[in-house]
Amino acid sequence: TTYTWTVATNTNVTGQSNQSTGQSSISQTLTNTTNAVQTVVYTVTPTSGDAGNCVGTNFTVTVTVNPTPVIANKTSTICSGSAFTITPSNSGSEIVPTSTTYTWTVVPNADVTGETDQTVGQSNISQTLTNTSNTVQTVVYTVTPRSGAAGNCVGSTFTVTVTVNPRPTVDAISNQAVCAGSTVSGVTITGSVASTVYTWANNTTSIGLGASGTGNITSFTGTNVTNIPVVATVTVTPTYTNNSVACVGSTSTFTITINPRPVVPNQTATICSGTAFTTAPTNNAPTTIIPSGTTYTWTVVDNTNVTGDEDQGVGQSNISQTLTNLTNTAQTVVYTVTPTSGAAGNCVGSTFTVTVTVSPRASIANKTASTCSGTGFTVTPSNGGGDIVPTGTTYAWSALPVVTGGLTGGATATGQSSINGTLTNPTNTAQTATYTVTPTSGSCTGPTFTVVATINPRPVVPNQTATICSGTAFTTSPTNNAPTTIIPSGTTYTWTVATNTNVTGQSNQSTGQSSISQTLTN
């Protein structure tokens, strides 16, 4: 059997043609010139017999022609550390069927990281590449495009050549600090990548330097007409351009500080013993000039009655020490202070004094007291024996004492010359009341101390009765049932008895007994 055919022309497909000479099969090579699936329909006439005189009924062959990607070589230029992305699109002579995927191999470049082969189809060609050198590098990808649901329409490979520009850096530039009127050294700006252009921006033009420029900075005289250090931050930006792609590197900053000089008159301070004085002069030009960031060092004339006064050779942001007066009278300490301003510590002002008066502060150890329920106690601290009690010290306890066992009678007090109180113990055991006391002498409040008062219980027994037969003993042993009956442990009883002449055995008892008991005969 042989076959001849005619074909319905599809203008989007090439290679189709009619065939009038019998063929042993129906075959042609078809090319889809679009990015969409096309069909070509053949109408076929089969013929058999040696003379070719047995003609069969026509049948059709419908050929589906899937598109195959056709993509030209690509190029891309990126900055080091960024991603290139190539997404071919269907246009012109390029055929990019929908859902085309790409795999690739890459020629490694030892000066570039991030380039890897890709065996799983991707929707585009993309990787993040880092140029580890300071020169331009290239990376070449050989890409295979595939289309069709099964990815079985493989297009010819094409290349993607990626130029990876280096990112320039700026060599470190030292900060500078000078006093007003001094020369700021010129700045030479260098970096890692040749042909880099360096631009700089100055955020504070009052120092005598312009707002911006390109290239090196020449020396100039620093100016500062204020009482604070003027700190200018100069930001240098490196830019390297290749293939019209400008790669901006990391900026580098340095500072230029123009420091003023401090002026401080003599100072005084008054503190309570055990606290810190702090002298932080504030600007009041022209009598007091305090540049921001001024630091102070000092020497001190030692006072043997005061502890905590020490020389200071390291610059501090203020003049401060904690001084303790060991006596119960006021003491003075004199500091000679050197003020310094400027980041480099080279703007030194004239010395001044700080005279500190250290008022005494009461310092009293914890105290105890003991009394019976309902009887007052009094504690009056005195100077000496480790206690510091300035003349006229008063005492206050603004909170009720902390009591145990339901003690009552505690009260707050202020301005007392002693610590005192009268409390009632409603239990049958000793209880305590803890007073937290604040001593005050003049304007100085001392650290709190406690007075722990032990309040011993008093027995409370209501009248008792007993009924016995003549010639037997009665025994009354009250038991604790506070608050109506309070029987502390170890309570004893003595008694007197109203004589009844009709009863014998009754007698007074002056020696404490553990119970009330006698044998009575009617």
Side-chain angles (χ1 to χ4, degrees):
T1 297
T2 61
Y3 306 92
T4 60
W5 60 80
T6 60
V7 61
T9 301
N10 183 331
T11 58
N12 292 322
V13 177
T14 63
Q16 57 198 306
S17 62
N18 296 331
Q19 179 58 262
S20 59
T21 302
Q23 304 293 313
S24 61
S25 63
I26 306 100
S27 175
Q28 283 187 331
T29 298
L30 304 181
T31 300
N32 184 343
T33 62
T34 74
N35 70 332
V37 174
Q38 303 293 326
T39 58
V40 177
V41 178
Y42 291 79
T43 300
V44 183
T45 302
T47 302
S48 66
D50 292 339
N53 56 353
C54 295
V55 179
T57 303
N58 291 342
F59 64 95
T60 61
V61 175
T62 301
V63 182
T64 299
V65 187
N66 290 317
T68 296
V70 176
I71 302 171
N73 294 337
K74 306 294 182 184
T75 62
S76 177
T77 298
I78 61 171
C79 296
S80 174
S82 60
F84 76 91
T85 299
I86 299 295
T87 306
S89 61
N90 191 73
S91 64
S93 62
E94 294 193 323
I95 299 175
V96 183
T98 302
S99 301
T100 295
T101 62
Y102 308 91
T103 59
W104 60 80
T105 59
V106 60
V107 179
N109 183 326
D111 291 321
V112 177
T113 62
E115 72 266 47
T116 59
D117 294 345
Q118 177 58 260
T119 59
V120 177
Q122 305 294 308
S123 60
N124 53 37
I125 306 98
S126 180
Q127 285 188 331
T128 296
L129 304 180
T130 300
N131 184 343
T132 59
S133 74
N134 59 4
T135 59
V136 173
Q137 301 294 324
T138 58
V139 178
V140 179
Y141 293 78
T142 299
V143 183
T144 300
R146 286 179 171 82
S147 66
N152 55 351
C153 294
V154 181
S156 298
T157 62
F158 62 96
T159 61
V160 174
T161 301
V162 183
T163 299
V164 188
N165 289 339
R167 282 197 188 271
T169 61
V170 180
D171 294 337
I173 301 172
S174 298
N175 297 333
Q176 293 192 58
V178 301
C179 295
S182 299
T183 298
V184 178
S185 300
V187 178
T188 300
I189 304 173
T190 58
S192 62
V193 178
S195 301
T196 294
V197 175
Y198 302 96
T199 57
W200 52 265
N202 168 30
N203 70 344
T204 307
T205 58
S206 63
I207 65 168
L209 178 65
S212 61
T214 300
N216 297 331
I217 300 172
T218 58
S219 62
F220 62 97
T221 299
T223 60
N224 181 359
V225 295
T226 74
N227 69 314
I228 62 174
V230 177
V231 180
T233 299
V234 181
T235 301
V236 180
T237 302
T239 303
Y240 174 76
T241 303
N242 177 52
N243 288 348
S244 299
V245 175
C247 296
V248 179
S250 299
T251 60
S252 177
T253 62
F254 65 96
T255 59
I256 300 174
T257 303
I258 312 300
N259 291 309
R261 296 184 187 273
V263 175
V264 186
N266 293 338
Q267 308 286 306
T268 61
T270 299
I271 60 170
C272 295
S273 174
T275 61
F277 79 91
T278 298
T279 297
T282 57
N283 189 70
N284 185 24
T287 57
T288 305
I289 299 176
I290 308 298
S292 176
T294 294
T295 60
Y296 306 90
T297 58
W298 59 81
T299 60
V300 60
V301 179
D302 184 52
N303 182 330
T304 57
N305 291 323
V306 177
T307 62
D309 45 344
E310 296 179 348
D311 294 345
Q312 176 58 262
V314 178
Q316 305 294 308
S317 60
N318 54 40
I319 305 99
S320 181
Q321 285 188 330
T322 298
L323 304 179
T324 301
N325 184 344
L326 302 177
T327 73
N328 65 344
T329 60
Q331 303 291 323
T332 59
V333 178
V334 179
Y335 293 78
T336 299
V337 183
T338 300
T340 302
S341 67
N346 56 347
C347 297
V348 181
S350 299
T351 62
F352 63 96
T353 61
V354 177
T355 301
V356 184
T357 299
V358 188
S359 299
R361 182 197 295 273
S363 177
I364 301 170
N366 295 337
K367 307 296 181 186
T368 60
S370 181
T371 188
C372 293
S373 176
T375 300
F377 72 90
T378 299
V379 174
T380 305
S382 60
N383 191 68
D387 286 349
I388 297 177
V389 184
T391 301
T393 296
T394 60
Y395 307 92
W397 48 99
S398 58
L400 292 174
V402 178
V403 299
T404 62
L407 287 174
T408 60
T412 62
T414 59
Q416 303 296 306
S417 60
S418 62
I419 305 94
N420 56 76
T422 301
L423 296 97
T424 300
N425 185 346
T427 74
N428 70 331
T429 59
Q431 305 296 329
T432 59
T434 302
Y435 291 74
T436 299
V437 182
T438 301
T440 302
S441 57
S443 61
C444 297
T445 300
T448 60
F449 64 97
T450 60
V451 174
V452 178
T454 300
I455 311 300
N456 294 310
R458 287 184 188 274
V460 176
V461 186
N463 293 337
Q464 307 287 306
T465 61
T467 300
I468 60 172
C469 293
S470 176
T472 63
F474 79 92
T475 299
T476 297
S477 298
T479 58
N480 190 70
N481 186 24
T484 56
T485 304
I486 299 176
I487 309 297
S489 176
T491 297
T492 60
Y493 307 90
T494 60
W495 61 82
T496 59
V497 60
T499 302
N500 183 331
T501 57
N502 294 319
V503 177
T504 63
Q506 57 196 310
S507 63
N508 295 334
Q509 177 57 264
S510 59
T511 301
Q513 304 296 310
S514 61
S515 62
I516 306 100
S517 180
Q518 285 187 329
T519 298
L520 305 180
T521 301
N522 183 342

